[in-house]
Amino acid sequence: MAEAATGFLEQLKSCMVWSWTYLWTVWFFFMLFLVYILRVPLKINDNLSTVSMFLNTLTPKFYVALTGTSSLISGLILIFEWWYFRKYGTSFIEQVSVSHLRPLLGGVDNSPPSNSNTSNGDADSSRQSVSECKVWRNPLNLFRGAEYNRYTWVTGREPLTYYDMNLSAQDHQTFFTCDTDHMRPADAIMQKAWRERNPQARISAAHEALELNYRCATAFILLAEEEATTIVEAEKLFKQALKAGEGCYRRSQQLQHHGAQYEAQHRRDTNVLVYIKRRLAMCARKLGRTREAVKMMRDLMKEFPLLSMFNIHENLLEALLELQAYADVQAVLAKYDDISLPKSATICYTAALLKARAVSDKFSPEAASRRGLSTAEMNAVEAIHRAVEFNPHVPKYLLEMKSLILPPEHILKRGDSEAIAYAFFHLQHWKRVEGALNLLHCTWEGTFRMIPYPLEKGHLFYPYPICTETADRELLPSFHEVSVYPKKELPFFILFTAGLCSFTAMLALLTHQFPELMGVFAKAVSIHFLVHCLFNAPKPSLHNMYGWQHIHHDLLHI
């Protein structure tokens, strides 16, 4: 019995939805027809005469009070709506309509289902909250002499900010110096060289260090980074640095357990050797020897598995994508796209690209809207939503809605700087996968409807840090327009209430200044509207023609 009653209610509800969706015009004309048929019992003629007498007795003061009261009420609603939007990120009126009226009209709740990804994101968020605005060394940073300086020569613009270069100077002092450098003249000179602000002073100091010790690996590194004007020259210098660095590494390795000073020196030599091998792999990648670069990166990761701070796996992912070795890319992601490891735009968007690759060539928005998303398409869309939530700035660069610049030497995860660094190297990989950018274009904006607002809450990741814009402005050059996290637009009812408040306030002002003229105008508008509604009603039958003419005659004499 209960099931029968439930089924009847569902049928009744569907009928109401259908009628309100398609037959609202029929309902409107039907109501007008009923009013016309019942005009005599309802005494419409007498009521119209009464209304006419009432309008004639109204004074301009009434209109001033009416518009003033309407303006006051509209203003109060606007203030409440604005306060509610600032606190909860949505319009109160829209929320009530969606929560209570939409279900009655057959609406569907689009709230995202809670699945295992949400729980994983919560655990990951607790780890990411510790370093929400930490600046990271860009794993794919360019060469200053061979790339950044060449850009300056051509455009006259400085691609690197002082803040970014200062961070690099601090990195160099941390990686390439130790407390025992003062005991070796060449290393003592290089210790001062890394602190120099003038590039020419640094280069001169490196040459001076090489004159004292032709096996000074850090001097070769500085010259390869800043003096070499081509990647070929940089590679030659890095090969010389590799020979010197391997010798220093072997010697310090034998003495590393003989004291704290030897331990620090071995740690420095290890950093130097890893840096040199990584840059050599990047040189091979830039010169087109991609397979050689992949092998060098794999060997480096096996030899030094604990040095994850260099994020060499991101270089490996980019090189594997260039080779279109998607199975190997998936294997790397399976190791590094883990809940216990920090995420990056490279990790999230590469995972989304692999998911999109399985369905993008046959994806069509029109077909998907008709038949719904398949399981593979749903997985691809969810992966895109996950990537966009982690860094919402990337899609505009991938879709070429915003122009790219040279990536900085440091990036802020989830910020515009990271988005530039990712898109600068990975845009070609998205273009290579047929339909991937189309799928991204159709789905990426849907992420913002899933993320709770305001940003004190998150969906799959820790809430988006509010400090990213400030840090990105220091990392990125002044000629670049920093991308800001997409803010939600004001709800329609706030805009509507603001317009209504302004309109009624204007009416109140005009009525106060020109009371007689506004009274005549209000009377003319109301009569015109009433006549327009009645004359657009269905035509009466012949035996009721007299009644229709009678109403027409009365209206003309109001």
Side-chain angles (χ1 to χ4, degrees):
M1 187 69 180
E3 295 180 356
T6 304
F8 175 75
L9 291 176
E10 291 295 331
Q11 292 180 357
L12 181 62
K13 180 180 177 180
S14 62
C15 291
M16 291 178 61
V17 171
W18 182 82
S19 64
W20 279 107
T21 304
Y22 301 102
L23 299 180
W24 63 271
T25 53
V26 177
W27 278 102
F28 178 74
F29 286 111
F30 178 71
M31 295 302 297
L32 287 180
F33 182 72
L34 283 180
V35 170
Y36 174 75
I37 294 297
L38 300 176
R39 66 187 186 281
V40 176
L42 294 177
K43 300 181 180 180
I44 293 180
N45 295 336
D46 297 339
N47 292 332
L48 289 176
S49 300
T50 304
V51 170
S52 177
M53 292 176 59
F54 173 72
L55 293 176
N56 289 329
T57 58
L58 293 179
T59 62
K61 294 182 179 180
F62 169 80
Y63 295 105
V64 173
L66 178 64
T67 53
T69 305
S70 301
S71 180
L72 177 62
I73 294 175
S74 300
L76 293 176
I77 295 175
L78 175 62
I79 294 173
F80 172 76
E81 281 280 282
W82 177 250
W83 169 82
Y84 195 88
F85 175 75
R86 291 295 299 272
K87 186 174 183 180
Y88 299 103
T90 185
S91 167
F92 175 77
I93 298 176
E94 287 187 358
Q95 188 178 24
V96 170
S97 63
V98 171
S99 302
H100 301 285
L101 298 181
R102 189 177 179 184
L104 296 177
L105 298 178
V108 180
D109 186 12
N110 290 328
S111 59
S114 58
N115 49 26
S116 59
N117 292 336
T118 304
S119 59
N120 293 345
D122 292 339
D124 190 29
S125 67
S126 62
R127 297 181 177 87
Q128 294 185 358
S129 62
V130 179
S131 58
E132 60 176 284
C133 278
K134 178 181 177 181
V135 177
W136 298 71
R137 183 79 176 176
N138 182 7
L140 296 170
N141 66 303
L142 305 178
F143 294 85
R144 284 193 184 180
E147 292 172 311
Y148 287 121
N149 286 347
R150 294 175 70 87
Y151 176 83
T152 304
W153 298 338
V154 174
T155 64
R157 292 177 172 180
E158 292 290 343
L160 298 177
T161 63
Y162 173 76
Y163 176 72
D164 190 15
M165 291 189 289
N166 186 48
L167 291 176
S168 297
Q170 296 177 18
D171 293 340
H172 296 154
Q173 295 175 49
T174 302
F175 294 151
F176 304 147
T177 63
C178 64
D179 296 336
T180 60
D181 283 344
H182 66 277
M183 302 171 57
R184 296 174 296 276
D187 290 339
I189 294 176
M190 289 306 302
Q191 191 175 40
K192 296 180 181 179
W194 295 120
R195 299 172 183 170
E196 287 285 348
R197 295 185 179 181
N198 189 348
Q200 292 302 322
R202 291 195 297 271
I203 293 174
S204 300
H207 284 291
E208 184 180 352
L210 286 176
E211 291 177 359
L212 295 176
N213 180 10
Y214 67 96
R215 292 183 178 179
C216 184
T218 54
F220 283 117
I221 291 176
L222 193 148
L223 295 177
E225 290 285 351
E226 301 194 30
E227 188 181 42
T229 57
T230 63
I231 302 298
V232 175
E233 294 178 9
E235 186 181 34
K236 291 179 180 179
L237 289 170
F238 272 121
K239 288 181 178 179
Q240 292 178 276
L242 180 61
K243 294 179 181 179
E246 287 178 337
C248 294
Y249 175 76
R250 285 192 296 266
R251 287 192 297 269
S252 63
Q253 190 177 28
Q254 297 173 357
L255 302 173
Q256 62 175 320
H257 301 298
H258 291 187
Q261 293 182 345
Y262 294 105
E263 188 72 29
Q265 184 176 346
H266 177 68
R267 185 166 54 250
R268 190 277 306 268
D269 292 338
T270 302
N271 292 336
V272 169
L273 184 62
V274 172
Y275 186 89
I276 294 171
K277 289 187 174 182
R278 176 182 180 173
R279 295 304 261 178
L280 278 172
M282 294 177 68
C283 288
R285 167 68 183 91
K286 292 175 183 292
L287 294 174
R289 306 195 306 271
T290 310
R291 296 188 182 277
E292 179 184 345
V294 168
K295 183 180 183 305
M296 295 173 67
M297 293 174 190
R298 289 188 184 277
D299 294 341
L300 185 58
M301 293 169 66
K302 291 179 182 179
E303 187 177 358
F304 302 97
L306 299 180
L307 292 181
S308 58
M309 60 181 177
F310 288 101
N311 293 326
I312 304 173
H313 60 275
E314 297 195 11
N315 300 83
L316 179 60
L317 285 173
E318 195 279 328
L320 290 174
L321 286 173
E322 177 64 22
L323 294 176
Q324 301 185 41
Y326 298 109
D328 293 335
V329 173
Q330 185 61 56
V332 176
L333 285 178
K335 181 178 180 180
Y336 290 96
D337 192 5
D338 186 78
I339 186 175
S340 61
L341 298 176
K343 299 294 183 292
S344 66
T346 301
I347 294 292
C348 295
Y349 277 90
T350 302
L353 177 61
L354 293 186
K355 295 283 183 64
R357 177 176 171 270
V359 297
S360 59
D361 57 337
K362 299 179 181 178
F363 178 78
S364 171
E366 295 79 10
S369 62
R370 290 194 303 268
R371 58 174 171 77
L373 295 175
S374 63
T375 303
E377 290 173 339
M378 183 63 70
N379 292 336
V381 171
E382 289 178 353
I384 290 175
H385 286 173
R386 172 178 178 259
V388 174
E389 182 182 348
F390 181 82
N391 193 319
H393 309 288
V394 173
K396 286 189 176 181
Y397 294 105
L398 292 180
L399 298 173
E400 299 183 83
M401 301 167 62
K402 193 172 182 181
S403 58
L404 277 170
I405 61 172
L406 293 185
E409 292 184 338
H410 288 80
I411 60 174
L412 184 67
K413 287 193 174 183
R414 308 187 72 178
D416 191 27
S417 52
E418 184 191 32
I420 292 172
Y422 172 79
F424 187 86
F425 293 98
H426 288 261
L427 175 59
Q428 56 180 336
H429 306 315
W430 280 80
K431 287 184 175 181
R432 188 177 292 120
V433 178
E434 182 182 357
L437 290 176
N438 178 45
L439 180 60
L440 177 67
H441 175 73
C442 296
T443 57
W444 75 279
E445 290 182 329
T447 308
F448 306 125
R449 292 191 293 269
M450 302 168 57
I451 302 174
Y453 194 86
L455 298 179
E456 281 78 9
K457 300 178 181 179
H459 179 59
L460 298 176
F461 295 99
Y462 187 76
Y464 188 81
I466 59 176
C467 61
T468 53
E469 181 182 354
T470 304
D472 278 332
R473 292 189 186 280
E474 294 182 343
L475 288 172
L476 298 172
S478 57
F479 58 82
H480 172 72
E481 182 181 356
V482 176
S483 178
V484 182
Y485 182 83
K487 295 182 175 64
K488 292 190 175 182
E489 297 181 354
L490 287 176
F492 167 76
F493 278 102
I494 290 184
L495 300 176
F496 174 76
T497 307
L500 181 62
C501 179
S502 303
F503 178 71
T504 52
M506 183 184 65
L507 285 182
L509 179 62
L510 292 176
T511 306
H512 182 267
Q513 294 293 330
F514 312 101
E516 296 181 358
L517 183 61
M518 291 300 295
V520 174
F521 176 74
K523 185 187 298 183
V525 169
S526 59
I527 293 176
H528 176 75
F529 177 76
L530 185 61
V531 171
H532 178 75
C533 292
L534 291 178
F535 275 86
N536 284 337
K539 297 299 181 182
S541 57
L542 291 176
H543 68 275
N544 286 328
M545 185 61 71
Y546 173 76
W548 181 261
Q549 293 176 351
H550 180 64
I551 293 177
H552 185 194
H553 181 270
D554 290 344
L555 287 174
L556 293 179
H557 287 79
I558 292 178

